[in-house]
Every structure is written in structure tokens, then in C-alpha cells.
Amino acid sequence: MPSKGSAAAVKLAEPPVAAATFKRFFEDMLLIRRFEERASQMYGMRLIGGFCHLYIGQEAVVVGMQAALKDGDSIITTYRDHGHMLACGMDPKGVMAELTGRRGGYSHGKGGSMHMFSREKNFFGGHGIVGASVPIGTGLAFAHRYRGDGFIAVSYFGDGAINQGQVAESFNMASLWKLPVVYVIENNRYGMGTSISRASARTDLFHRGIGLGIPGEQVDGMDVAAVYDAAQSAAEHARSGQGPIILEMLTYRYRGHSMSDPAKYRTKEEVDKMRSEHDPIDHLRQRLLNAGMAGEAELKDIERRVRETVAEAAQFAQDCPEPDPAELWTDVLAEA
Amino acid sequence: MSTDVLMPALSPTMTEGKLARWLKAEGDHVQPGDAIAEIETDKATMEVEAIDEGILARIVIPEGTEHVAVNTPIAVIAANGEDVSAAAPAAATQHSPHPEPAPSPMARDRAPPPAAPVPAPAGKQPGYTGATATITVREALRDAIAEEMRRDDSVLLLGEEVAEYQGAYKVSQGLLQEFGPRRVIDTPITEQGFAGVGVGAAFAGLKPIVEFMTFNFAMQAIDQIINSAAKTRYMSGGQMGCPIVFRGPNGIASRVAAQHSQCYASWYAHCPGLKVVAPYTGADHKGLLKAAIRDPNPVVFLEHELVYGESFEVPTDPEFIIPIGKARVAREGDRVTITAFSRMVKLALLAAEELAKDGIAAEVIDLRSLRPFDAATVAASVKKTNRLVAVEEGWPFAGIGSELAAVMMEECFDWLDAPVKRVAGKDVPLPYAANLERLAVPQVEDIVAAAREVAYR
């Protein structure tokens, strides 16, 4: 996997701090992994309907990014959003209950997998139209600049969205107006079933803003330390008034585009190779052990805690009743 | 041979202007391309250029003259060596560089002058006793925006040419000067992009007014308007709000053909999660735009280029607001109900005048708001008149008139004495030729004929 910001480039903090940070990364990534595995299982049991896009394999991207942000920064992403919500600190119970379409879900069961929000956590969705969240994320940055509050927006999207016209439109305005936004391209190599080489004239995407004066960097998105390092510099760039910046995260999704995707467009060997050689969670686990930052028992403890959290979320999402029928008519318009 | 210089039309809809200043004096030599005068309209100031070489023999219209009609001779240019004292203005029609169509059997199909007289001074608002001023719709919109921007720092204006250029249709005249570039923002030509930026800013709690140069261009942005602005409140279980106004001219203009002449009323009115407003009078433009800006929901505010220049008495009180969702009885009658919105209200009122001459008292209802839709006011009227003519400029299929016909079936079935009649734009892309354009959009006589038909007269 090509890599610019390798692990060697990570500026490790003092050992105790680094250990705590990495253990948190491990737990956060593991939570996403286990949550998504459970969602997959529940989808198979028909407890979850519609489209369901899993984040398995890409966990390092959002965990490393979010760790570099401040409370008050705004986040927006597309429909592969479960991991982002968990990384924003949203309650796994509320996320899972939305997947099952229950009243305890973040959108009271009216949004589903692709459309969830948390005003409290400044998570602005959860958007189902490829590319459409990018101008909205640019608008979030516009609002931060308008208010002069010192916060930034982070807009996540995939290698499929990059070819949408409105993404280019957003890059132009963000650079023109020097908006505080970090664009995170999660390049998992496939836009649904079309590989990047069949959809983009150039397969490296970090340079897409260069003609507009937006710096870009390619990052090993399977290495949470590399992501965290790049995220800190990018956030600082945006926060300091220098305008937008693009981070291309080279990553991989192990599962299909959605639950109904048999993934015939790539080989099993390709997937297996990524899983066995580049898995972000295994990678970090080994690093924690090798560097003596955590012992086997401690990691087992984390794994048990995560398993319990996910089990609770799954139970809540199944026990929670469906929305009241009256809910059909609420939240269309606000009272003027 | 002398040539008349005629008052030029600066836009498809201009009918008159002010001769602001002469840049050349009588006796001056002029070359083709020389600026000889400055003329002003409510939208713009532009120079008149000489098109022939010669001597500016006579200035016919002195500078400072207001209301000079298009095609009026304003000066005479004599050929070099010609006796300039003999040069007199000829009749405009003989030398017009923009000839009016010659009288022909087709003459009745020619477009009417856009500034047809308003039938009744649609002025004082019921219940409003404060001060008013006579201003154009363009100014009423500007005043509404300015008042709301003064009141609330989170209100901003975003769009193409809204700042430095002062608005493509001069609606935002003076706003950049008063509020500065932080709040009055020129965008690149990038409708989908800036509509999405507006939506994001609104999600974050700002109150953007997004101007589309025309709603034809908003088709590029309709995904952001529907999928992002209208649906997110619902999809978030009420957590998210999108207090945004999408506004601009909608419908036909004058001779701008199919891609620039479309009514989107039924498109937007179709969608839950949006409010859709299409006013006619100056007071309604002002009061409803202020309500739209204060509304916590996305509002599509449909204006009309042919109405911008019309003058009305408009309340000056900054707290004058018209709630969205109420139709207005623009003229009372008991024989037939005519519903209309936007510019079609004017035609409906003219039709009612015609009908009154034959003793048919038409009640004209200005719908004003298409979402929420004030079915109750229409139903109450139809229960009195037992007849409905639904007028709109847009296409008939699945239009506002179709919706009204359905509502009448559901709510007034036993009161109807005639089938609901729709008067709508013809089911074709709008043609360019003047005669065809006139045939394609509803005219006063179409409304009169429809009203007679349902009144069996």
C-alpha cells in the first residue's frame, strides 16, 4: 500500500501519553469493527432493512481524524457513516436503534442507516446523495468563518464522490473564500463496484485541489498513527486561516459496497491480503504489545468492554419499540 | 442623409428609461462606437453609442428627461457635409433599428407591452394602518432583505452578482454598501455548489438568503433544495433545521425562450418539507419575504421578472409581516372564482374587469402561498360562486390547477355547478417568436373565455 505518512513519521508524544492515546485508538477502532460486524449479523436476521454500508477496514481513518479535532468542530460524511458517528462519541445504542428503525434511534427511526445526525456532537450527517454532503460541509466551514468562532469543518467522502461536479465547485469556493475545512477523501479503491482506475483519470486524488491552490496529502489510512499525525497538521492548517486542505486516505473496505454486494469486481486474494497484512486494528494491537504500551490482559479487557457495549446496543435496538404511528407526521416542518 | 438615434431597450423587459446625460453636444463629430449619452433604468445605467459616422445635428430629448419610451428618437445624426439645420427627427417607426412587428393578420398575437395598467391599486393591507410608500416590487424585496439584515446578524445574502453588480435584476441594490462583503456575497457561477453551501450554513444556524439569478438555473441545485434542505429535518427526527430562503425570478420573462422561461411552482409545491411562496403585490413581496427569512424552514420564494418594475403602495413599518400560508381575496365577486399567483394575479384582475362589463362578478383569489396551501379560502369562495377557474403560467400537467381541481372534488363536490377549468401555459417548451410566445402563456382573454365557459355565459 503506498504511503506518505508512515508510522516512522509519527511524532510520538511522551510514552505514557502516547500509550493512553493509542489504547484509546485501539478501543475506538475495535468498537466500530465489532459494531459493524453485529450490524451485519442483524441485517442477515432482517432486523435492519434497506441499504447498510459497513465501515469495516476503514476504522483508522475516522478514529485518527477525530482525535485531532476540538469540541465545536463540525463533521459531515456520506452514507457509510456508522463509524463516524461512533467516533464522534454518539451513543452506540441510539445508532443501532436507528439501524433497526426504532423510536430510540437518533432520528426516531425516520432516517435509517444513511441519515443520522447529532446536533449535540456537531455531527451533521449521514447523507445519502454521493457528493452532496461536500458543499454542505463547505457551508459548515462558511458558518465557522462567518461567526469567527475558531472551529473548523471536516467533510468526509469517498473516491466515488470526488468526480461529482459539486465537489469541484466546493473546492473552488473553499479556496476562494479561505474557508476552514479539511476534506478527507476516503479512497477505498472502489466506488461501489467500479475500481478507481476505471472511474478516475488519475488514481491518486490528493492533488485534485492543487489547481485551485488547495494543498493535498496522501496518507496511509490503514495506519491510525499516520492518520492522526496528518490530521493534526491539517486541522492546524484549516484553523489558522490558511484555507482548505485535502487529505487522501488510502484505505480499504473488506465488505461489499452495501450488504447486497457480492463484490465480484475484486478477487478474494486482494481482500485477504489487505486483511492479513494491513489491518489497522491488528497492526495497532501488535504495536501496543511490541512497544510494551499495553499487555495482553489489558487489551483483552478492552475487547471485553467493547463486546459488552455492542451487545447492549444490539439488545437495546431490538427491545426498543418501533416509532409511534403519529411520528409519521412530525418533524416535516418546524413551527414558524 | 440623417439618422435618428432611438431610445434603446437595455433588457428584454425594459419599456422606458431616463435620459441621464448627454456626453456629446450638438455639432460634435461622432464615430461609430462613440458613447453619446447615458441612460438609466431602475436596473442599470448604460451608454448609448453612435452607430454611424457624422455630426450630432440635434438633441431631441434633453438630459434629465424621465420616462422616455423605448424607440423614441432622442437625437439626429447628420452625414458629414449635410446641412445639419435641416435635419429633423423622423417618425420612429421609419428608421427604428429594432422594428416592431409590422401590422399583419398576426397582429393580435403580438406580445402586449409589459407595463400594462394595473387594474386596481392593490395597496392598503387590511388591518394595516401604518405608513406606506409607493415603491416597485424590486425595491420592496430589497427593503425586506435590508430590514431583516439590520435586525439579525445571522441573515446573509449569497448568489451570483448580488454584491458588486448590485443584483442581476437590481434587487440587491445598495446592500453591499450597507452590509459589506461578509454578509453580501458574490458566488462563482456554481448553483449546486452555492446552494449546498447555503444549506450547510443554515444547518449550522445561519439564515442565508440564496438568490438564483433565475429559477431556471436552480434546476442545477434542485438536489440540494429537495434532498438536503427539505428532507433533513424529517430524516433527523427534528434535530436539524434549515432556515434558508431560495429566491429569484420564476416563470417567463420576455422573449428569452425555453431554457429561461419556466414556472417551477408545482415542482417545489410537490415536496413536503418546503414552504413555497409566489406573491404578486409589493406589500406581499415585502411582507412574505420577511416572513420567509424569519421562518425556521426552507422557503422557496418565487418572484417574477415582469413584476419587478411594478409599483405598489407598500407598508414601511419594519415589523410589517405577512404570514406564509394565507391566500388573499384580491377582488370580491359571487359568480365565478378565479385563482392565480404571481404575475397571473394581474391578468386575473384584468379579466375580472372585462367580465364585470358583462355583469359577471368574478372573485379573484391571490393564492400567494402554494405550500402551505390555503385550500380553505378557495373552498369558501367556491361554495359561494360554485365555479372555479384556476390560472397559472406553468404547464398544465400535474400543475397547481390540477391540484386545485382535485381539492375541489374532495371538498366542494356538491357545490360545483361546472367542472373546474384550468388556464395554464401550453404544454410545449416556451417558444421565442413573439406571436408564439404570446400563444404559449395565458392571456387575459383566455381567462375571460374560461370564466364565461364555467358561468355558461
Side-chain angles (χ1 to χ4, degrees):
Chain A
M1 167 146 265
S3 156
K4 269 201 161 177
S6 68
V10 177
K11 294 182 273 299
L12 289 172
E14 292 301 306
V17 179
T21 304
F22 283 133
K23 276 186 274 190
R24 183 157 56 82
F25 290 170
F26 179 75
E27 181 160 356
D28 290 350
M29 289 199 291
L30 197 66
L31 175 64
I32 296 172
R33 176 73 56 94
R34 297 285 172 263
F35 182 96
E36 294 288 65
E37 286 165 352
R38 181 58 72 97
S40 172
Q41 183 194 35
M42 289 169 67
Y43 191 93
M45 295 161 70
R46 293 190 176 274
L47 288 163
I48 297 172
F51 297 129
C52 186
H53 308 87
L54 302 179
Y55 198 64
I56 296 176
Q58 302 182 208
E59 297 91 345
V61 176
V62 78
V63 168
M65 278 302 307
Q66 290 302 119
L69 303 185
K70 291 184 177 170
D71 278 351
D73 290 342
S74 302
I75 312 303
I76 189 166
T77 187
T78 56
Y79 46 79
R80 196 177 304 284
D81 56 358
H82 312 161
H84 300 76
M85 292 185 280
L86 298 176
C88 283
M90 288 167 66
D91 183 355
K93 289 198 193 86
V95 178
M96 195 67 97
E98 190 60 37
L99 297 185
T100 54
R102 306 302 172 94
R103 67 177 61 173
Y106 266 97
S107 299
H108 306 174
K110 297 199 284 195
S113 164
M114 299 184 284
H115 316 110
M116 265 182 266
F117 306 82
S118 170
R119 286 299 279 116
E120 184 200 346
K121 302 288 183 189
N122 288 312
F123 179 73
F124 289 86
H127 292 266
I129 306 296
V130 173
S133 62
V134 182
I136 300 173
T138 308
L140 296 171
F142 176 95
H144 287 308
R145 218 271 314 266
Y146 189 90
R147 292 189 168 119
D149 58 17
F151 294 117
I152 66 172
V154 178
S155 175
Y156 295 89
F157 52 98
D159 51 285
I162 192 75
N163 294 319
Q164 281 280 16
Q166 58 185 322
V167 174
E169 295 180 27
S170 301
F171 287 179
N172 180 49
M173 283 182 282
S175 185
L176 181 69
W177 297 332
K178 291 274 176 284
L179 299 181
V181 54
V182 180
Y183 295 112
V184 180
I185 306 169
E186 300 195 51
N187 181 357
N188 65 19
R189 304 198 201 174
Y190 296 90
M192 196 167 162
T194 303
S195 69
I196 179 121
S197 60
R198 294 172 58 231
S200 290
R202 275 184 62 174
T203 55
D204 46 356
L205 305 174
F206 65 95
H207 59 78
R208 284 289 180 104
I210 285 174
L212 299 164
I214 306 177
E217 188 185 337
Q218 198 171 53
V219 182
D220 181 355
M222 303 301 273
D223 178 350
V224 70
V227 172
Y228 181 52
D229 188 43
Q232 285 177 301
S233 327
E236 173 53 29
H237 175 96
R239 217 180 291 284
S240 66
Q242 296 177 75
I245 183 165
I246 292 170
L247 295 180
E248 179 190 6
M249 300 291 179
L250 298 174
T251 184
Y252 201 80
R253 66 170 151 76
Y254 299 169
R255 299 298 188 91
H257 165 73
S258 65
M259 292 300 298
S260 54
D261 172 14
K264 293 278 202 255
Y265 44 82
R266 60 186 187 186
T267 61
K268 188 170 179 305
E269 290 70 35
E270 178 184 304
V271 182
D272 289 346
K273 190 172 159 56
M274 288 302 295
R275 293 187 87 129
S276 58
E277 295 176 15
H278 295 284
D279 186 76
I281 298 171
D282 289 351
H283 186 205
L284 181 59
R285 195 176 200 286
Q286 272 316 308
R287 184 188 292 181
L288 285 167
L289 291 172
N290 294 348
M293 288 190 277
E296 188 68 47
E298 194 179 357
L299 295 183
K300 288 264 185 246
D301 219 35
I302 292 174
E303 284 160 359
R304 183 187 47 73
R305 201 156 62 224
V306 164
R307 225 177 8 253
E308 282 169 7
T309 303
V310 171
E312 273 172 33
Q315 197 59 50
F316 175 79
Q318 293 171 71
D319 295 345
C320 187
E322 288 188 311
D324 189 283
E327 191 77 47
L328 178 66
W329 298 103
T330 60
D331 305 324
V332 178
L333 291 170
E335 285 293 319
Chain B
M1 200 189 95
S2 65
T3 312
D4 288 347
V5 179
L6 305 180
M7 184 72 172
L10 302 181
S11 74
T13 52
M14 172 178 164
T15 55
E16 60 170 44
K18 174 183 178 183
L19 208 160
R21 201 152 68 92
W22 281 103
L23 303 170
K24 297 280 184 187
E26 286 185 355
D28 282 359
H29 187 81
V30 295
Q31 295 280 350
D34 283 356
I36 58 171
E38 260 181 23
I39 57 175
E40 268 176 32
T41 67
D42 48 359
K43 280 195 282 192
T45 299
M46 285 178 81
E47 291 175 341
V48 182
E49 293 179 356
I51 49 169
D52 291 307
E53 184 180 353
I55 308 289
L56 181 61
R58 240 160 66 75
I59 286 174
V60 181
I61 305 288
E63 65 181 28
T65 308
E66 308 240 21
H67 309 299
V68 181
V70 167
N71 281 342
T72 305
I74 56 173
V76 180
I77 292 180
N80 285 329
E82 192 182 348
D83 177 5
V84 297
S85 63
T93 47
Q94 288 168 18
H95 295 283
S96 170
H98 308 290
E100 291 287 303
S104 75
M106 304 278 279
R108 63 172 288 279
D109 297 333
R110 279 165 47 199
V118 178
K124 293 276 187 202
Q125 291 299 304
Y128 178 80
T129 53
T132 61
T134 303
I135 57 172
T136 61
V137 164
R138 174 179 287 119
E139 291 164 330
L141 290 167
R142 193 262 324 273
D143 289 354
I145 297 169
E147 286 171 14
E148 293 308 299
M149 287 182 74
R150 280 174 209 133
R151 181 177 173 268
D152 183 351
D153 183 67
S154 64
V155 179
L156 60 115
L157 178 66
L158 185 76
E160 292 158 7
E161 310 291 5
V162 299
E164 301 272 348
Y165 194 88
Q166 308 283 303
Y169 294 102
K170 293 293 170 281
V171 168
S172 53
Q173 190 119 41
L175 296 180
L176 174 66
Q177 285 64 31
E178 180 173 353
F179 299 103
R182 172 174 167 265
R183 301 179 65 195
V184 183
I185 302 145
D186 279 327
T187 65
I189 302 169
T190 180
E191 281 81 8
Q192 192 178 21
F194 71 71
V197 167
V199 169
F203 283 173
L206 299 182
K207 294 172 187 157
I209 303 165
V210 172
E211 175 173 312
F212 292 113
M213 195 180 288
T214 92
F215 264 93
N216 298 284
F217 308 155
M219 221 171 353
Q220 301 245 21
I222 201 163
D223 172 68
Q224 290 291 357
I225 299 171
I226 308 297
N227 269 320
S228 303
K231 295 181 182 172
T232 297
R233 183 175 178 79
Y234 193 82
M235 293 194 303
S236 68
Q239 274 190 79
M240 304 283 294
C242 192
I244 192 169
V245 178
F246 299 105
R247 52 155 289 271
N250 171 65
I252 67 159
S254 180
R255 309 288 310 281
V256 293
Q259 290 182 337
H260 284 68
S261 310
Q262 185 173 336
C263 175
Y264 290 88
S266 78
W267 290 49
Y268 292 112
H270 181 67
C271 304
L274 287 179
K275 292 188 177 181
V276 183
V277 177
Y280 170 59
T281 69
D284 284 351
H285 273 89
K286 186 178 181 193
L288 284 165
L289 183 55
K290 287 164 68 75
I293 295 166
R294 294 187 192 187
D295 202 287
N297 299 289
V299 181
V300 170
F301 196 93
L302 303 170
E303 300 158 12
H304 202 293
E305 193 189 331
L306 298 181
V307 173
Y308 280 150
E310 288 193 21
S311 292
F312 294 90
E313 249 187 278
V314 177
T316 53
D317 180 353
E319 282 307 309
F320 169 76
I321 301 266
I322 295 181
I324 294 172
K326 291 277 173 231
R328 177 179 69 95
V329 178
R331 178 183 172 122
E332 290 191 10
D334 59 11
R335 192 77 172 94
V336 55
T337 300
I338 304 174
T339 59
F341 55 93
S342 189
R343 174 175 165 264
M344 285 294 132
V345 174
K346 172 177 166 173
L347 275 67
L349 290 169
L350 288 166
E353 284 283 294
E354 283 298 306
L355 292 162
K357 290 176 192 162
D358 272 350
I360 302 172
E363 180 146 298
V364 176
I365 296 179
D366 179 352
L367 295 173
R368 302 198 292 193
S369 167
L370 305 171
R371 268 276 190 163
F373 189 69
D374 187 0
T377 294
V378 182
S381 176
V382 169
K383 285 178 181 175
K384 177 173 68 172
T385 64
N386 312 108
R387 293 161 174 85
L388 176 63
V389 173
V391 184
E392 70 193 296
E393 196 181 274
W395 292 312
F397 191 93
I400 300 296
S402 314
E403 176 63 23
L404 270 164
V407 170
M408 292 303 106
M409 291 278 277
E410 288 161 357
E411 298 191 12
C412 298
F413 188 75
D414 292 334
W415 281 269
L416 288 173
D417 285 347
V420 172
K421 186 79 187 164
R422 286 177 293 169
V423 176
K426 300 299 186 295
D427 202 12
V428 295
L430 195 87
Y432 168 71
N435 63 326
L436 297 182
E437 183 188 62
R438 187 175 194 281
L439 287 170
V441 295
Q443 304 295 333
V444 173
E445 59 263 32
D446 301 324
I447 303 170
V448 170
R452 286 183 187 285
E453 193 182 323
V454 298
Y456 307 115
R457 287 281 298 273

